[in-house]
């Protein structure tokens, strides 16, 4: 309520008492650190205390008759707040703790907290105002500094995709910063939202681990640091890192007052991508390792061939050459010709072995020339070439009519037929009549061919060994060979995307099956011949 005053109608001693009280009040006002301003009803200054002059730089003589706003208001004084203050004073309202930015005589800004009391006379008429101003500049600086730090912190946290869940100690209310809403793809609001409300968005598969981490933090009082997935409003999955230190101020350990929540989705994606790349690198390393191992095995195989298979024909050449020399000196022409024939056969054997090794090692290093191949014509060509090697033994062919054409490399497929038919003739050469059957049957995705003979056969359990380099199932000297042909055939067939297998019985012949697909896929890098096998 505004103060009212009236002159007492008492005796002189009472008036003297009032004067003494006024003097005491003036002394108190003069010595207070707060600024005191007295204005008339028009808000023109009639008196200021010494604290006012010290703070503002304006003396009493310079202030009297002027309004406070003329002396103290400046470019950044809030006009809206000034209008509100003026409205309150016109309504004769008391003003409590009204904060305003003022300026000193030197132009230096300062903050004040105003308490203004209207003074009314006995009839209720406004006579003056008494204003007490407290300099709150330091407090406002701290508040502004804190607000600026808070703004900078929130900006830095947004840039770092770092949000906070805070609980106000005074109100007990918790709130999310804007980054939390961004992570969850929700519109920001001012509702109370605590850590438990955020953790409710955790992916169901991560809930148990998250609860265990939080329980351990509450038990030990140590900081919780957990990475888990959250489900956003759109149903997307994001990775977050949530950290908080339990509140140990009370007797019992309580939930952290502040949680930090960082969006680590990009980091997790990079980790996952690096993991995939490492797996691919490990796969490539494994592939290269297997190729090196194959190259090492091939080198061993070629070393064996050079030290064993090539040694025999060379020894024959050398031995027959010595015998040839002796027969020439003796003048035995017929014997000399026989030894010449044996030397030629040994040289031919050596050449075939060398050619086979080169073909086997180079296959896969050069691309195939894929075209339509007439298998009937190819078989007939190979059979004609073999006729001169059959000798005097009768050879009976049974070739199924209408052998179909296939897609493939004609040179390599000729090598397949040459080796299969030559093997059939060779291992049936001890029979009085050599019988060779060539047949085919259509498959859903290609064609299966077979070559069947009436030769010595073999145990079915040994069939796989036939297709390995330098592997032979028969040691009978009647059946010569280096163990290269079928290994080469297998490599050719597999490069066409097909497969080869065999079945037989001892002394009841053998059947070799070759499946070739309808379309030939290009050989991949992993299908190439191992390095160092040339």
């Amino acid at each position: 309520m505004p103060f009212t005053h009236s002159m007492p109608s008492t005796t002189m001693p009472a008036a003297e008492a009032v004067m003494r009280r006024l003097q005491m009040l003036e002394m108190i006002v003069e010595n207070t650190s707060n600024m005191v301003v007295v204005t008339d009803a028009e808000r023109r200054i009639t008196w200021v205390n010494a604290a006012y002059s010290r703070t503002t730089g304006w003396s009493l003589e310079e202030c009297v008759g002027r309004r406070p706003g003329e002396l103290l208001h400046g470019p950044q004084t809030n006009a809206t707040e000034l209008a509100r203050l003026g409205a309150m004073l016109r309504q004769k309202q008391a003003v409590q703790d009204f904060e305003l930015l003022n300026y000193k005589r030197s132009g230096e800004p300062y903050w004040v907290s105003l308490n203004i009391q209207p003074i009314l006379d006995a009839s209720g008429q406004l006579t003056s105002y008494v204003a007490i101003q407290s300099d709150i500049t330091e407090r406002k600086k701290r508040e502004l500094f804190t607000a600026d730090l808070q703004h900078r912190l929130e900006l830095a946290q947004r840039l770092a995709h770092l949000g906070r869940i805070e609980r106000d100690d005074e109100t007990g209310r918790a709130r999310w910063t804007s980054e939390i809403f961004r992570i969850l793809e929700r519109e920001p609001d001012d509702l109370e939202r605590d850590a438990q409300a955020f953790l409710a968005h955790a992916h169901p598969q991560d809930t148990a681990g998250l609860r265990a981490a939080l329980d351990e933090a509450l038990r030990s009082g140590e900081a919780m640091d957990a990475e888990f997935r959250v489900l956003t409003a759109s149903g997307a999955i994001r990775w977050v890192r949530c950290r908080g230190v339990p509140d140990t101020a009370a007797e019992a350990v309580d939930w952290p007052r502040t949680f930090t929540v960082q969006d680590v989705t990009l980091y997790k994606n990079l980790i996952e991508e690096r993991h995939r790349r490492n797996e691919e690198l490990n796969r490539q390393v494994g592939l290269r390792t297997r190729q090196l191992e194959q190259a090492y095995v091939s080198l061993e195989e070629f070393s064996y061939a050079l030290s064993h298979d090539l040694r025999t024909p060379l020894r024959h050449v050398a031995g027959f050459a010595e015998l040839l020399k002796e027969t020439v000196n003796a003048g035995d022409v017929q014997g000399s010709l026989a030894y010449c024939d044996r030397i030629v056969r040994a040289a031919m054997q050596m050449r075939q072995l060398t050619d086979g090794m080169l073909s086997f090692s180079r296959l896969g290093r050069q691309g195939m020339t894929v075209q339509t191949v007439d298998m009937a014509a190819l078989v007939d060509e190979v059979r004609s070439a073999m006729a001169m090697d059959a000798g005097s033994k009768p050879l009976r062919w049974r070739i199924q009519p209408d052998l179909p054409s296939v897609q493939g490399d004609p040179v390599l497929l000729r090598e397949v037929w040459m080796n299969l038919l030559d093997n059939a003739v060779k291992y049936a050469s001890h029979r009085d009549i050599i019988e060779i059957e060539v047949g085919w049957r259509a498959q859903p995705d290609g064609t299966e061919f077979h070559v069947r003979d009436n030769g010595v056969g073999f145990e079915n359990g040994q069939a796989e060994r036939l297709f390995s380099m330098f592997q032979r199932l028969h040691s009978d000297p009647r059946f010569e060979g280096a163990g290269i042909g079928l290994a080469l055939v297998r490599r050719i067939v597999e490069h066409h995307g097909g497969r080869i297998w065999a079945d037989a019985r001892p002394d009841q012949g053998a059947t070799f099956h070759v499946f070739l697909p309808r379309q030939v896929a290009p050989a991949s890098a992993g299908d190439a011949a191992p390095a160092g096998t040339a």
Side-chain angles (χ1 to χ4, degrees):
M1 292 293 294
F3 290 133
T4 59
H5 71 279
S6 60
M7 294 299 293
S9 58
T10 57
T11 60
M12 185 59 70
E16 291 178 354
V18 171
M19 290 300 296
R20 284 197 298 272
R21 289 192 184 98
L22 290 175
Q23 289 173 354
M24 292 176 62
L25 180 60
E26 183 178 355
M27 182 178 66
I28 293 171
V29 170
E30 282 292 336
N31 289 281
T32 184
S33 60
N34 290 328
M35 295 170 278
V36 180
V37 181
V38 180
T39 68
D40 59 17
E42 299 299 324
R43 287 183 281 172
R44 296 184 181 278
I45 298 174
T46 60
W47 184 83
V48 297
N49 68 346
Y52 181 91
S53 296
R54 288 195 303 271
T55 301
T56 66
W58 295 101
S59 66
L60 174 60
E61 291 77 12
E62 293 171 316
C63 294
V64 172
R66 304 174 71 175
R67 287 189 172 90
E70 298 175 22
L71 304 173
L72 305 177
H73 298 164
Q76 294 188 21
T77 303
N78 193 310
T80 302
E81 289 296 283
L82 286 177
R84 188 165 69 89
L85 176 62
M88 295 171 66
L89 295 178
R90 284 192 296 273
Q91 295 174 12
K92 303 176 184 180
Q93 294 181 11
V95 177
Q96 300 288 330
D97 301 324
F98 193 95
E99 296 182 358
L100 196 66
L101 178 67
N102 282 340
Y103 288 82
K104 299 179 181 180
R105 184 175 185 175
S106 64
E108 179 185 354
Y110 70 102
W111 281 89
V112 293
S113 176
L114 296 175
N115 289 278
I116 304 175
Q117 184 66 50
I119 306 299
L120 308 179
D121 62 14
S123 63
Q125 293 297 315
L126 179 67
T127 62
S128 59
Y129 294 94
V130 176
I132 301 176
Q133 303 180 12
S134 302
D135 187 345
I136 59 170
T137 303
E138 292 303 319
R139 177 170 66 82
K140 289 296 289 187
K141 285 183 177 179
R142 289 193 297 270
E143 290 178 357
L144 291 173
F145 180 71
T146 302
D148 182 62
L149 284 181
Q150 183 75 7
H151 173 72
R152 292 173 181 269
L153 176 61
E154 290 187 358
L155 179 61
Q157 288 175 339
R158 284 200 300 271
L159 292 175
H161 299 301
L162 184 67
R164 298 194 320 279
I165 305 172
E166 299 175 317
R167 187 177 73 230
D168 189 286
D169 291 335
E170 296 182 0
T171 64
R173 288 171 54 87
R175 72 178 189 92
W176 295 352
T177 60
S178 59
E179 180 64 15
I180 303 292
F181 290 97
R182 187 200 68 80
I183 292 173
L184 296 178
E185 297 180 335
R186 299 171 62 102
E187 289 296 326
D189 56 48
D190 295 326
L191 300 178
E192 180 178 2
R193 298 188 182 277
D194 57 14
Q196 294 191 56
F198 175 75
L199 298 181
H201 292 274
H203 193 283
Q205 295 179 1
D206 297 344
T207 303
L210 181 59
R211 172 57 61 181
L214 184 59
D215 290 345
E216 175 60 23
L218 294 177
R219 184 193 65 78
S220 65
E222 299 295 328
M224 184 194 84
D225 190 340
E227 291 184 355
F228 56 94
R229 293 166 293 176
V230 294
L231 297 175
T232 69
S234 67
I237 296 177
R238 303 194 70 84
W239 277 94
V240 296
R241 183 181 184 184
C242 188
R243 287 175 286 188
V245 179
D247 184 5
T248 57
E251 294 182 1
V253 178
D254 199 1
W255 280 58
R257 296 184 180 182
T258 301
F259 278 95
T260 61
V261 180
Q262 185 175 17
D263 186 347
V264 294
T265 305
L266 178 60
Y267 165 76
K268 281 290 188 178
N269 289 341
L270 290 175
I271 292 294
E272 181 62 26
E273 177 64 22
R274 186 172 67 179
H275 178 68
R276 286 195 295 269
R277 288 181 179 179
N278 286 342
E279 286 187 340
E280 176 61 20
L281 180 60
N282 289 335
R283 190 188 70 81
Q284 292 289 342
V285 169
L287 176 62
R288 297 296 183 267
T289 301
R290 289 192 297 273
Q291 290 177 342
L292 288 174
E293 290 173 348
Q294 291 172 2
Y296 178 75
V297 171
S298 296
L299 286 175
E300 285 190 330
E301 291 171 344
F302 285 122
S303 297
Y304 173 80
L306 292 173
S307 63
H308 184 272
D309 290 84
L310 290 178
R311 185 183 302 168
T312 300
L314 283 173
R315 187 173 61 248
H316 289 171
V317 169
F320 291 137
E322 288 292 334
L323 293 174
L324 174 61
K325 182 179 179 181
E326 293 176 2
T327 55
V328 168
N329 290 332
D332 184 357
V333 177
Q334 293 300 323
S336 298
L337 292 176
Y339 288 133
C340 286
D341 290 340
R342 292 186 179 184
I343 291 174
V344 170
R345 284 199 297 271
M348 289 295 295
Q349 182 185 359
M350 203 162 50
R351 188 182 70 177
Q352 291 171 357
L353 179 63
T354 304
D355 289 344
M357 290 172 61
L358 289 174
S359 297
F360 185 83
S361 63
R362 288 174 178 171
L363 183 59
R365 295 188 177 189
Q366 50 197 7
M368 298 188 302
T369 303
V370 178
Q371 61 189 59
T372 300
V373 180
D374 185 342
M375 297 297 260
L378 198 59
V379 169
D380 188 60
E381 176 191 340
V382 172
R383 185 180 63 169
S384 298
M386 294 175 57
M388 63 184 66
D389 296 330
S392 58
K393 288 289 182 73
L395 201 157
R396 183 180 300 164
W397 293 91
R398 290 197 299 274
I399 299 179
Q400 186 176 343
D402 301 324
L403 287 177
S405 297
V406 299
Q407 293 293 311
D409 186 308
V411 175
L412 296 180
L413 291 180
R414 185 183 188 282
E415 194 74 16
V416 170
W417 285 114
M418 180 65 76
N419 277 278
L420 292 180
L421 296 179
D422 181 66
N423 262 17
V425 171
K426 177 171 62 177
Y427 288 102
S429 60
H430 65 292
R431 303 294 188 187
D432 293 334
I433 299 176
I434 301 173
E435 296 182 358
I436 307 296
E437 176 185 315
V438 176
W440 67 277
R441 63 173 178 168
Q443 298 283 12
D445 52 349
T447 306
E448 177 189 331
F449 298 92
H450 71 265
V451 175
R452 183 175 293 116
D453 61 61
N454 62 338
V456 293
F458 53 84
E459 294 285 349
N460 262 332
Q462 301 292 318
E464 186 61 26
R465 287 180 53 200
L466 288 171
F467 305 106
S468 298
M469 189 71 163
F470 307 121
Q471 294 293 320
R472 302 181 69 242
L473 301 186
H474 299 284
S475 57
D476 193 323
R478 294 176 298 171
F479 310 126
E480 298 179 352
I484 294 174
L486 290 178
L488 180 63
V489 168
R490 182 178 190 176
R491 183 75 65 87
I492 293 173
V493 170
E494 289 180 350
H495 269 65
H496 281 74
R499 61 186 184 277
I500 183 170
W501 67 99
D503 54 72
R505 289 184 181 179
D507 203 38
Q508 295 187 29
T511 304
F512 287 82
H513 304 266
V514 173
F515 170 79
L516 294 175
R518 184 169 289 107
Q519 294 293 331
V520 178
S524 65
D527 295 330
T533 59

